[in-house]
Amino acid sequence: MSAEATNPAPSRRRGRPRIDLRRLGRAALLGPGARDRLPDAISHVAEAHRAHHPDADLAVLHRAYVLAESSHRGQFRKSGEPYITHPLAVTLILAELGAETTTLTASLLHDTVEDTDVTLDQVREEFGEEVCYLVDGVTKLEKVDYGAAAEPETFRKMLVATGNDVRVMSIKLADRLHNMRTLGVMRPEKQARIAKVTRDVLIPLAERLGVQALKTELEDLVFAILHPAEYENTRALVADNATAGDALAAIADDVRTVLREARIPAEVLVRPRHFVSVHRVRLKRGELRGTDFGRLLVLVGDDADCYGVLGELHTCFTPVISEFKDFIAAPKFNLYQSLHTAVAAPDGAVAEVLIRTHQMHKVAEAGVVALGNPYAAPAEGTEPVGEDGERTDPTRPGWLSRLLAWQRSTPDPDTFWTSLRADLAQDGEITVFRPDGGTLALPAGATCVDAAYAQYGEAAHTCVGARVNGRLAALGTVLNDGDTVQPLLAREDAAPGDLPGPAAAGPARTGAAVRTPVHDPASGPSPDWLKHARTPAARIAITGWLAAHPEGVKVPAAAPRPPAATVCADAPAPRDAAANAVVADLPGAQVRLARCCTPVPPDAVTGFPVRGGNVTVHRVGCPAVRRMEAAGRVPVGVRWGEAAECRVTLVAESFGRPRLLADLTEAIATAGAAIVSATVEPPSEQRVRHTYTLQLADAAELPGLMRAMRDVPGVYDVSRAQQPAATTG
């Protein structure tokens, strides 16, 4: 199934030759063979199938071929061959990949319902429900019924069917590969249109399903159609370097010797690159050396031998450490497992090496096709069920579940088609963790916005921020594989006695209740969120909310400069009203509390004399204390007196949302504190800093006041002011 087999380049894959379509056409026209043997036209399929499944029952394939041949008899492809050659070729592609009998049966019949008088009921009655489902899944919708929406709606139908049985997409990919092989008979403009859809949709799907054998050949065929000049240059480059494999072959011999001496049974192969891979390497490295035209593939018996081979190579050759990747310990999202490394030979030539087991290689080439029937009863000794009691299905990865979820929200075919291409353009997947230990599968490049919508759906409209690995982060923060993400949602009711729910409204704090997010109708996403959303689910939800709320969220505009401190009418106390709580060991000195750290009882304090015979009192840990001591200033002993009244400056850091200032001032008033002044800084990355100078009747009330302020939705931290003073006095 290599791409190079279709090009005038040296053969790049061992195995049986491709079937002769003209000979198959003649055989197909002669009709089915004798009852006691398979027709010649399908013998190639039977041979390939038996190579992977020696005990397979071929009778059902015989019956499927007879029905397909008789139904398509008289139909011809644009190339002139009888139409039956197409389903035969598609079936052979899947048979060589190791597909099981049900998939091959359906692939023989995949065009019968679409192009002949055969009905789904007939297929169901003759071959069973599974085959009927697969055939229905790949059957196109009629343009007569859907018009211009037929293509996107057909893909939607196939994807939904793939969500229930991944073999639907396996048949579609093989179908498209054979069509691309024979696309030369089409008009150039139609070739380009089909190639673009293949590039944007089917190649990414082949990558996500791990079917590299189909993906690489599709890439080369698309490359030849959409970029003919670059393709011809690459083809000529490969032809001019026909002996380039000798350099790799020499290194392969050295590797075999090393592994033989280490007594590690291994098969070492030279694996030429396909044309698109050569083109990419040339763009990356410029002039190519002989070893750049391929890679070494080392196949071993088990996982432990993979690491044994790696150790021997890194011991006996010079490793290129930057090229090492371990996809065995951390498989790719498409089931791919392998060790990647690169070693330098004594002459300086660098060879890339892939190390995997035979089973890993089978999965790397055939992906989900190699898994067989994922819905068959599990074999003895295997784990049949997941944690929820259902059978674990490795063919239902995170990207497919996400796709099936968001497509339900896009009834418009154009929006679905655009979103599908954008989703498939993401070329990787990451796994992030929720604070409760659950996981979220997201595309590479996803942000906190995507995580919020993946976890909470439309409730994420009230998201005000997030914590990533325990640290506060803006909503546009790009997530990495393995990050722990906690979206922070605003809510109306913030009573401390709430029942636990699936998410916390604020950051995790010792003893804090976990709250269930409640939608706030006055809050919602801003258009800026669309800049950060990478998943279609997030973009569709945000776009829908913005369309339903054209007026947006009414958030007061921030002043260009921090407003001047405002003294509240209910707090006419003088600036240093709390200073009488401190007694200084300096007769006749007037005491005042430093504004930089606003000490309150029972803080450990120290004082420094300033001009005018006064003493300024600081908390012992205040940065100003260290500066003055370093400057040689001599401290004065101070202690708290009997007065309980005090003044303190608190800094509340929060995510911006409507009514935040009102909620904070209400919480302060409810706690019995008087606001002397309040300053609100302009928002930065949706974060707002509030600074309050407060008068308390008793310093013992301070911890409760700070807890009340932290309980205000959107507030993620409240702390005592501790900033360098503008002056020392």
Side-chain angles (χ1 to χ4, degrees), residues 567-575 647 674-676:
V567 179
C568 298
D570 62 347
R575 185 176 62 184
R647 180 175 298 179
I675 300 176
V676 176

Short mmCIF file of all heavy atoms in Angstrom, two decimals, residues 567-575 647 674-676:
data_model
loop_
_atom_site.label_atom_id
_atom_site.label_comp_id
_atom_site.label_asym_id
_atom_site.label_seq_id
_atom_site.Cartn_x
_atom_site.Cartn_y
_atom_site.Cartn_z
N VAL A 567 -12.57 58.66 49.52
CA VAL A 567 -12.91 58.45 50.92
C VAL A 567 -14.41 58.31 51.03
O VAL A 567 -15.17 59.16 50.57
CB VAL A 567 -12.43 59.63 51.79
CG1 VAL A 567 -12.82 59.40 53.23
CG2 VAL A 567 -10.92 59.78 51.67
N CYS A 568 -14.86 57.21 51.62
CA CYS A 568 -16.29 56.95 51.74
C CYS A 568 -16.91 57.83 52.81
O CYS A 568 -16.28 58.16 53.83
CB CYS A 568 -16.53 55.48 52.09
SG CYS A 568 -15.92 54.37 50.80
N ALA A 569 -18.17 58.16 52.62
CA ALA A 569 -18.87 59.05 53.55
C ALA A 569 -19.06 58.42 54.91
O ALA A 569 -19.19 59.11 55.92
CB ALA A 569 -20.23 59.43 52.96
N ASP A 570 -19.08 57.08 54.98
CA ASP A 570 -19.34 56.45 56.26
C ASP A 570 -18.06 56.23 57.06
O ASP A 570 -18.07 55.56 58.08
CB ASP A 570 -20.07 55.10 56.07
CG ASP A 570 -19.21 54.11 55.29
OD1 ASP A 570 -18.19 54.54 54.70
OD2 ASP A 570 -19.56 52.93 55.27
N ALA A 571 -16.93 56.78 56.59
CA ALA A 571 -15.68 56.56 57.30
C ALA A 571 -14.89 57.87 57.40
O ALA A 571 -13.87 58.05 56.75
CB ALA A 571 -14.86 55.50 56.58
N PRO A 572 -15.37 58.81 58.20
CA PRO A 572 -14.70 60.10 58.28
C PRO A 572 -13.49 60.10 59.20
O PRO A 572 -12.96 61.15 59.54
CB PRO A 572 -15.80 61.00 58.83
CG PRO A 572 -16.60 60.09 59.70
CD PRO A 572 -16.57 58.76 59.04
N ALA A 573 -13.03 58.93 59.63
CA ALA A 573 -11.94 58.87 60.61
C ALA A 573 -10.68 59.45 60.01
O ALA A 573 -10.43 59.36 58.81
CB ALA A 573 -11.72 57.42 61.03
N PRO A 574 -9.81 60.05 60.82
CA PRO A 574 -8.55 60.58 60.33
C PRO A 574 -7.66 59.46 59.82
O PRO A 574 -7.84 58.29 60.14
CB PRO A 574 -7.96 61.26 61.57
CG PRO A 574 -8.61 60.60 62.73
CD PRO A 574 -9.98 60.26 62.30
N ARG A 575 -6.64 59.86 59.06
CA ARG A 575 -5.82 58.88 58.36
C ARG A 575 -5.14 57.90 59.31
O ARG A 575 -5.01 56.72 59.03
CB ARG A 575 -4.76 59.60 57.53
CG ARG A 575 -3.93 58.67 56.67
CD ARG A 575 -2.98 59.44 55.81
NE ARG A 575 -2.03 60.18 56.66
CZ ARG A 575 -1.12 61.02 56.18
NH1 ARG A 575 -1.07 61.25 54.89
NH2 ARG A 575 -0.29 61.65 57.01
N ARG A 647 -6.67 49.99 61.38
CA ARG A 647 -6.90 50.27 59.96
C ARG A 647 -5.98 49.35 59.16
O ARG A 647 -4.84 49.11 59.55
CB ARG A 647 -6.58 51.73 59.66
CG ARG A 647 -6.80 52.11 58.20
CD ARG A 647 -6.58 53.58 57.98
NE ARG A 647 -7.54 54.35 58.75
CZ ARG A 647 -7.56 55.69 58.77
NH1 ARG A 647 -6.68 56.38 58.08
NH2 ARG A 647 -8.47 56.33 59.48
N ALA A 674 -15.50 49.54 57.77
CA ALA A 674 -15.79 50.81 57.11
C ALA A 674 -14.72 51.06 56.06
O ALA A 674 -13.52 50.87 56.30
CB ALA A 674 -15.80 51.95 58.12
N ILE A 675 -15.15 51.45 54.85
CA ILE A 675 -14.22 51.71 53.76
C ILE A 675 -13.72 53.15 53.85
O ILE A 675 -14.49 54.10 53.75
CB ILE A 675 -14.89 51.46 52.39
CG1 ILE A 675 -15.36 50.00 52.29
CG2 ILE A 675 -13.93 51.79 51.26
CD1 ILE A 675 -16.12 49.68 51.03
N VAL A 676 -12.42 53.30 54.08
CA VAL A 676 -11.81 54.62 54.11
C VAL A 676 -11.54 55.10 52.69
O VAL A 676 -11.82 56.25 52.33
CB VAL A 676 -10.51 54.59 54.94
CG1 VAL A 676 -9.81 55.95 54.90
CG2 VAL A 676 -10.80 54.16 56.36
#
